[in-house]
Amino acid sequence: GHTTGPSLNNDKLYKFAYSAEVYVDRVKASLQKSAGYRISSGVDVNLLWRNPDNDDDQLIKITIKDVQVENVNERPAAKNIFKGKSTDKILGKEYLEALQRPMVLELVRGKVKTFYSYQNEPAFTQNIKRGLASLFQLQLHSGTTREVDVSGKCNTTYHVRQDQVTKIKDLDSCEIAKEGFTSHNPILDIGKKVTSATTYVLEDSFIKSIKAEENFVFLLNFRRKTGAKIVSKQKLELKSVQAGPGLIAGKQVAGVIKTLDSSYVAMPLEAEPVKSECKKCPSLSEHWKSIREHMHPEKLSTAEAAKSFLSFIKSIRKATKEEILQVIRSENKDLLPQIVDAVTSAQTPESLEAMLEFLDFKDASTSVLQERFLYACGFASHPNEMLLKSLTDKFKGDIANEEIRETVVIVMGALIRKLCDRGGCKLPFVVEAKRLILNRLEKAKKDDNVRMYLLALKNALLPEAIPLLLKYAESEEGHISSLAATALQRYDPSFLTKEVKETMNRIYHQNRKVHEKTVRTTAAAVILNSNPSYMEVKNILLSIGELPMEMNKYMLSMIQDIIHFEMPASKTVRKVLKDMRAHNYDRFSKTGSSSAYSGYMTRGPDVSSTYSLDILYSGSGILRRSNMNIHIFDRNAELHASQVVIEAQGLESIIAATPDEGEENLDSFAGMSAILFDVQLRPVTFFQGYGDLMSKMLSATGDPMNVVKGLILLTDYSQEIQLQAGPVASAEFLGGLAIDISGGMEFSLWYRESKTNVKNRVAVFVAGNTEVDSFFVKAGMETTLEVETALDFISTVQFSQYPFLVCMQMDRIESPFRSHVTKYESLPSGRRYTARKGKAVMLAGNEYPLHQENSNMCRRVFGAKSDSGGGWF
């Protein structure tokens, strides 16, 4: 008997009914209302030749006939795009003829050894044939093997029970040439689940029926309600067995094939790539004209801007360098920054070349555009080595504007980190860029240069940079030591060695020299965040009470926050506090206005977000540092969505107050530094030096300074999917953010009051399109989500008495949230069916509570005064 593979009888014609169906829908939906289509046909199979020396080596001929194309679900005539069209109208004569030309398989022990077809047939029909041919591949004993079929080379497991065989294909293991990319951060990316199972029923040692089903599910990681699935089903059923043609005599396969038809060629069974041509697509400049009005700077925090940005990126990805340059060169300076955001975010070789040709770094007058280009590079969703090399080359060349020069190296740091995260740390250009930053930092003399390389390392987070960062944190002054310490704070605690903790303890406890409060508090945060020992915690707690006034209050607040927010160190802190009960009261009843507080912004089934806000003052009531952070995280990943730090020093002289100990010689300075989506941006200076401060104070406009404005591509996912029935599908999800962050400080000597205001205006638009694109019909589903919101953070300080009054407010306005799903089927002629569903809800605004003490203070601040004017200083 034939135990190793199915076997056909001589002189018989096996007549089957075949259907291949595809469905596209929401993940949880039943398939009754899905978009899709069905191809059905008859299939004739007969044995041509059996190897005289080996019964298990057979040539079989397979012919597709009577092809029909129809809806996968019943549709009323008005909604049926195929209505009144014959198959050869739908497929076209050439395709239909190709599909109905027979193919030949050589089956050896049930596996397809060779697939023979005709050479110049369209790839699409060839793949449909491969999808059918692959069904004939099976083995009659249980076990796992790696085999090639239409899906590529895949791990395949067979379970055999008498006349039933189940074939499970592990689609994640398939090797096949296909294009695509994923987003850098898992939280912003798409999760994918795939399954494939085929069930065979055998009768009389050959196939009675086959049922195959494949499922592809795509989910937005940060909102798993949003997603799509593609289901592909194939069915082959034996209808009758009739008398058929006789066998062809011959010793060798090659001879038999020649006798049959000399035009047959052996071809790979795995699917070949199919390129779909866009017939009626607008040109890039036409597309730009249609969205241009939404891209004006004042509209940059609207969902419409984010939506236009995404659609423009899709067009740019298909465009040539010349087409891109044509749009750039035709536009005015208000709109150019938005075009630069989109072209850079497209991340194709053509778009990068266009940008490098357009931007002249030797010309300081276009520095706004150079900066937008650089930040878009830093936010790149899937950067490659060439992008880093281009920036390294620019950095080595002439750059007219010093701030742009700094930004180039800061962004190089961000790209190094992204490439290293994807296993690219040893790529030649990454190695070169790392070496450049580390070597130049060691040789740097001027503070400005030191600062820029430290900022680059704060993005790159190289383990080998830790010793350098420790040196700068401990032995330098002011800005520089503070920056090195905050860079160490960004490392994963697993990198923070014994040596790091020893240095941080020395800085905090000032064992070797006096350090500024900003550096000491950062050192304490690093210790408390990296699995501190009992003694480390105890020493920090014992120090509270001996610190400068406001720092006492700040450290106390930090410890309370660790307990209240259940941070990893909270267990150790509780234990130490229990053992220290005796020395507590005096130490922990410190007055002051500094504080640290964390809370949840949102808690959801998929992702949660937290905010943390800490403020440190000098003893005379002037802000030293305010730090606002938002983190987003899910079960396995975290994203530092934003950080805004406002730092000030040496401002005591304006209100004739005494500086704190160790801070007598600090130069007057105020500035702001931001991290956005894990990328440290170049800090912005409000003023530097007493003279600069005085001139700003006298011109007092009070206008906020723009910190970040632009369009950022967050989610960027594109995958080609080879269906086992033959067609190619694709899943594409893009998420864009339109953002406008501004910040300012106002000062009123009259009211002895200062105000810091940070406004974050954002709009997010996510567009997913999942479709099966067969040249003669497209079936798919578009999903969109949009939200617009604003988060304002204001802190008001009154320093007419001590402890001075501080009121912090963090508000989110009411925000519209909209989602839509559109399923569609369309023909190249333009005939189209769509079904659209949408919903809109208002997300309530929120005043974030911060802590009780703050609420009490706010009542006093707003009770104590009527409206106070006063612009900048």
Side-chain angles (χ1 to χ4, degrees), residues 78-139:
K79 294 188 169 181
N80 179 353
I81 56 168
F82 300 120
K83 171 110 179 68
K85 286 185 180 269
S86 63
T87 306
D88 80 356
K89 268 278 186 297
I90 297 170
L91 285 179
K93 220 171 154 126
E94 177 206 353
Y95 276 67
L96 187 58
E97 280 172 9
L99 200 53
Q100 299 190 355
R101 267 180 230 129
M103 55 183 147
V104 174
L105 303 183
E106 182 183 4
L107 289 177
V108 178
R109 290 190 291 281
K111 301 295 170 82
V112 178
K113 184 182 174 194
T114 324
F115 166 72
Y116 295 97
S117 186
Y118 295 97
Q119 208 156 11
N120 296 321
E121 287 189 7
F124 176 79
T125 55
Q126 209 71 279
N127 286 345
I128 295 279
K129 290 180 177 180
R130 290 178 166 113
L132 174 57
S134 297
L135 290 177
F136 286 89
Q137 173 158 283
L138 81 155
Q139 70 182 37

Side-chain angles (χ1 to χ4, degrees), residues 268-539:
L269 186 56
E270 68 196 54
E272 60 188 281
V274 179
K275 279 283 158 264
S276 74
E277 284 303 302
C278 189
K279 298 277 190 300
K280 297 180 180 170
C281 288
S283 71
L284 190 64
S285 55
E286 285 167 347
H287 186 150
W288 169 246
K289 286 189 186 101
S290 72
I291 58 167
R292 187 175 180 271
E293 59 172 305
H294 304 302
M295 302 296 256
H296 283 279
E298 64 278 8
K299 294 191 181 163
L300 270 203
S301 47
T302 63
E304 199 58 61
K307 176 184 180 177
S308 304
F309 168 64
L310 297 181
S311 71
F312 193 37
I313 287 175
K314 283 167 90 162
S315 294
I316 296 167
R317 284 182 168 163
K318 299 183 186 113
T320 64
K321 180 176 106 175
E322 279 62 42
E323 290 172 299
I324 296 170
L325 283 168
Q326 185 195 340
V327 171
I328 294 176
R329 291 191 170 130
S330 68
E331 207 34 275
N332 69 30
K333 70 175 199 314
D334 278 354
L335 287 152
L336 267 174
Q338 290 71 266
I339 295 183
V340 169
D341 288 340
V343 172
T344 314
S345 302
Q347 299 168 76
T348 61
E350 290 77 12
S351 65
L352 177 60
E353 279 172 28
M355 284 317 309
L356 294 172
E357 185 170 316
F358 170 66
L359 291 174
D360 176 7
F361 283 78
K362 297 187 184 74
D363 174 5
S365 70
T366 57
S367 59
V368 171
L369 298 178
Q370 295 165 32
E371 185 174 71
R372 287 286 271 264
F373 162 69
L374 291 168
Y375 282 151
C377 291
F379 296 128
S381 48
H382 51 270
N384 61 16
E385 212 193 345
M386 286 320 291
L387 182 56
L388 178 59
K389 179 187 187 305
S390 309
L391 294 193
T392 309
D393 292 347
K394 286 284 171 227
F395 185 68
K396 290 173 171 170
D398 287 340
I399 298 176
N401 179 319
E402 196 45 48
E403 292 183 344
I404 292 298
R405 193 177 134 75
E406 282 184 34
T407 310
V408 172
V409 81
I410 293 170
V411 168
M412 282 166 61
L415 292 176
I416 290 171
R417 179 178 176 196
K418 286 186 173 179
L419 290 162
C420 284
D421 281 351
R422 295 221 160 171
C425 241
K426 296 201 163 63
L427 294 168
F429 296 131
V430 179
V431 172
E432 184 198 346
K434 285 197 291 191
R435 198 179 300 132
L436 179 119
I437 293 169
L438 291 167
N439 289 349
R440 298 244 181 134
L441 174 58
E442 292 195 49
K443 295 196 188 94
K445 294 282 181 285
K446 282 193 2 229
D447 270 8
D448 283 355
N449 284 336
V450 171
R451 183 181 91 144
M452 106 183 156
Y453 295 117
L454 286 176
L455 286 162
L457 290 177
K458 190 171 173 180
N459 273 332
L461 298 181
L462 303 170
E464 62 266 41
I466 290 177
L468 264 174
L469 292 172
L470 290 175
K471 181 188 99 177
Y472 280 103
E474 191 168 26
S475 60
E476 285 296 330
E477 303 292 319
H479 260 37
I480 299 289
S481 66
S482 187
L483 177 53
T486 60
L488 287 162
Q489 202 177 3
R490 290 197 71 201
Y491 279 84
D492 188 85
S494 60
F495 286 105
L496 302 180
T497 55
K498 185 162 136 282
E499 191 191 357
V500 176
K501 308 226 358 214
E502 283 169 357
T503 310
M504 293 296 115
N505 277 295
R506 281 198 304 271
I507 292 173
Y508 177 73
H509 296 291
Q510 307 197 97
N511 302 37
R512 288 187 180 167
K513 61 178 253 196
V514 173
H515 291 278
E516 279 183 54
K517 295 196 289 284
T518 45
V519 185
R520 293 179 68 190
T521 50
T522 304
V526 172
I527 298 164
L528 292 169
N529 192 31
S530 46
N531 195 9
S533 67
Y534 181 89
M535 274 322 287
E536 283 176 318
V537 173
K538 185 168 182 180
N539 287 334

Side-chain angles (χ1 to χ4, degrees), residues 41-203:
S41 71
V43 170
D44 288 357
V45 182
N46 63 298
L47 183 68
L48 291 174
W49 170 85
R50 185 178 268 122
N51 189 336
D53 305 326
N54 171 11
D55 272 4
D56 248 331
D57 179 0
Q58 329 170 63
L59 268 187
I60 65 170
K61 178 174 158 188
I62 301 176
T63 311
I64 296 174
K65 34 184 18 172
D66 307 326
V67 179
Q68 297 289 318
V69 179
E70 53 204 341
N71 290 124
V72 75
N73 285 313
E74 286 299 312
R75 298 231 187 281
K79 294 188 169 181
N80 179 353
I81 56 168
F82 300 120
K83 171 110 179 68
K85 286 185 180 269
S86 63
T87 306
D88 80 356
K89 268 278 186 297
I90 297 170
L91 285 179
K93 220 171 154 126
E94 177 206 353
Y95 276 67
L96 187 58
E97 280 172 9
L99 200 53
Q100 299 190 355
R101 267 180 230 129
M103 55 183 147
V104 174
L105 303 183
E106 182 183 4
L107 289 177
V108 178
R109 290 190 291 281
K111 301 295 170 82
V112 178
K113 184 182 174 194
T114 324
F115 166 72
Y116 295 97
S117 186
Y118 295 97
Q119 208 156 11
N120 296 321
E121 287 189 7
F124 176 79
T125 55
Q126 209 71 279
N127 286 345
I128 295 279
K129 290 180 177 180
R130 290 178 166 113
L132 174 57
S134 297
L135 290 177
F136 286 89
Q137 173 158 283
L138 81 155
Q139 70 182 37
L140 299 183
H141 58 277
S142 296
T144 298
T145 175
R146 238 180 126 58
E147 61 181 39
V148 174
D149 71 0
V150 64
S151 311
K153 190 175 194 178
C154 312
N155 297 343
T156 310
T157 304
Y158 288 92
H159 299 284
V160 181
R161 289 200 315 274
Q162 287 143 342
D163 281 341
Q164 196 166 340
V165 179
T166 308
K167 169 161 86 174
I168 306 287
K169 195 160 35 171
D170 173 7
L171 293 171
D172 284 326
S173 71
C174 296
E175 282 172 41
I176 190 167
K178 59 171 188 268
E179 295 188 352
F181 41 80
T182 57
S183 310
H184 174 74
N185 189 297
I187 289 178
L188 303 172
D189 207 31
I190 303 298
K192 176 175 146 202
K193 292 205 272 260
V194 290
T195 57
S196 161
T198 309
T199 309
Y200 294 84
V201 177
L202 305 177
E203 186 177 80

Side-chain angles (χ1 to χ4, degrees), residues 186-226:
I187 289 178
L188 303 172
D189 207 31
I190 303 298
K192 176 175 146 202
K193 292 205 272 260
V194 290
T195 57
S196 161
T198 309
T199 309
Y200 294 84
V201 177
L202 305 177
E203 186 177 80
D204 190 16
S205 82
F206 194 49
I207 292 160
K208 184 184 178 191
S209 72
I210 305 176
K211 273 188 180 153
E213 182 172 322
E214 224 179 359
N215 282 278
F216 296 84
V217 171
F218 301 92
L219 298 165
L220 214 51
N221 287 340
F222 60 84
R223 190 179 189 268
R224 298 173 76 86
K225 260 191 196 160
T226 299

